Amino acid sequence: MHALTERYHDLQRALTQAAQASNAPRTPTCIAVSKTFPATDIQSVYDAGCRDFGENRVQELLDKILALPSDIRWHFIGQLQRNKVKYLIGHVALIHTLDRLSLAQEIEKQAAKQSIIQPCLIEINLGAEPQKGGIAPADAPELLHEIRSAMPHVQVDGLMCIPPQAWESGRAFALLASLAQQWQAQGLLAGTTLSMGMSDDYQSAVAHGATLVRIGSALFGTR
Ligand SMILES: *Cc1c(COP(=O)(O)O)cnc(C)c1O
């Protein structure tokens, strides 16, 4: 068996076990983060059954979309510039990194132009780390409110985070889950997706309710 096939099946098993161990209602979806890896590797993981792939650069993503099967659900997980939005809309299943009003407005504009509704996640910068993307928790309710009231072509499916460097990752996952609950209870957030957990910490993320995990190196190898 191809090494990638085997690693994908091992990962699926580990995810199923982690979900059962934490009484999660269902096994989270594995997004195979394929940035920097060639289309041939992606095809192998696709052949093993994976349909969700994540990329963090627009041009690399567009090149791979052209080279690979059309039923792949592509996830954009990188920091997104407003002037690149027009290339993504209509091609990505989910944008994980919506973190500011100007970006939401551009997604609204481009999605409206194509008459589609673009699913997105709000990226939360839990530790207020300046070099990272994401909106501060205190600023998110206003963004959520703006989107709900004025942007019918932007659909917020839930939240995403990358744990702050200095934090034990479980603390970040617990906080993201509780923010989602709070904003759902306040009527600001309808979606229940939680995109959290990477190669080194996905078990903890699953225990805290992740519905999407983003796995790169544990699947494809070191970059
Ligand atoms: C690269 C990346 C991942 C995957 O990281 P690994 O540690 O290789 O699993 C997940 N999420 C984001 C946003 C990334 O940029």
Side-chain angles (χ1 to χ4, degrees):
M1 209 194 307
H2 196 288
L4 281 172
T5 308
E6 202 167 319
R7 253 183 266 156
Y8 179 71
H9 289 315
D10 288 348
L11 187 59
Q12 279 300 337
R13 257 194 305 278
L15 280 173
T16 304
Q17 281 168 7
Q20 282 167 354
S22 58
N23 292 316
R26 63 179 194 93
T27 301
T29 297
C30 173
I31 299 172
V33 176
S34 47
K35 62 190 185 194
T36 76
F37 288 95
T40 47
D41 285 354
I42 300 176
Q43 184 69 51
S44 296
V45 175
Y46 174 94
D47 291 340
C50 186
R51 291 296 177 269
D52 291 85
F53 290 87
E55 290 283 338
N56 67 343
R57 289 180 193 279
V58 173
Q59 190 57 54
E60 184 177 347
L61 170 61
L62 296 176
D63 290 345
K64 285 173 173 174
I65 289 175
L66 287 176
L68 286 152
S70 60
D71 64 341
I72 288 178
R73 289 181 292 273
W74 292 100
H75 296 256
F76 190 79
I77 62 169
Q79 288 194 29
L80 182 54
Q81 291 170 296
R82 211 157 35 132
N83 62 358
K84 300 280 176 69
V85 167
K86 57 178 175 288
Y87 304 116
L88 286 186
I89 302 300
H91 299 289
V92 287
L94 188 61
I95 295 172
H96 290 230
T97 49
L98 173 50
D99 63 358
R100 59 199 187 277
L101 187 61
S102 59
L103 187 57
Q105 286 165 334
E106 181 64 16
I107 295 170
E108 168 65 24
K109 183 177 144 191
Q110 298 298 337
K113 225 186 237 181
Q114 295 188 33
S115 300
I116 61 171
I117 293 173
Q118 177 63 55
C120 298
L121 303 176
I122 304 296
E123 181 183 1
I124 307 293
N125 188 336
L126 293 168
E129 295 171 293
Q131 76 282 13
K132 268 197 193 156
I135 187 167
D139 297 332
E142 192 182 336
L143 177 63
L144 286 166
H145 176 75
E146 281 293 321
I147 294 170
R148 287 210 100 171
S149 54
M151 303 184 199
H153 301 87
V154 179
Q155 174 181 304
V156 179
D157 281 355
L159 307 180
M160 177 272 209
C161 79
I162 300 170
Q165 296 257 299
W167 292 25
E168 187 270 311
S169 53
R171 178 180 161 211
F173 301 147
L175 179 55
L176 194 72
S178 82
L179 288 170
Q181 278 180 0
Q182 185 184 322
W183 296 333
Q184 284 155 6
Q186 292 170 347
L188 289 166
L189 179 65
T192 55
T193 298
L194 288 176
S195 170
M196 55 188 197
M198 318 200 299
S199 291
D200 291 336
D201 54 20
Y202 70 87
Q203 308 258 7
S204 166
V206 173
H208 286 96
T211 64
L212 299 176
V213 294
R214 311 180 305 268
I215 309 289
S217 50
L219 185 56
F220 290 101
T222 49
R223 287 183 294 273

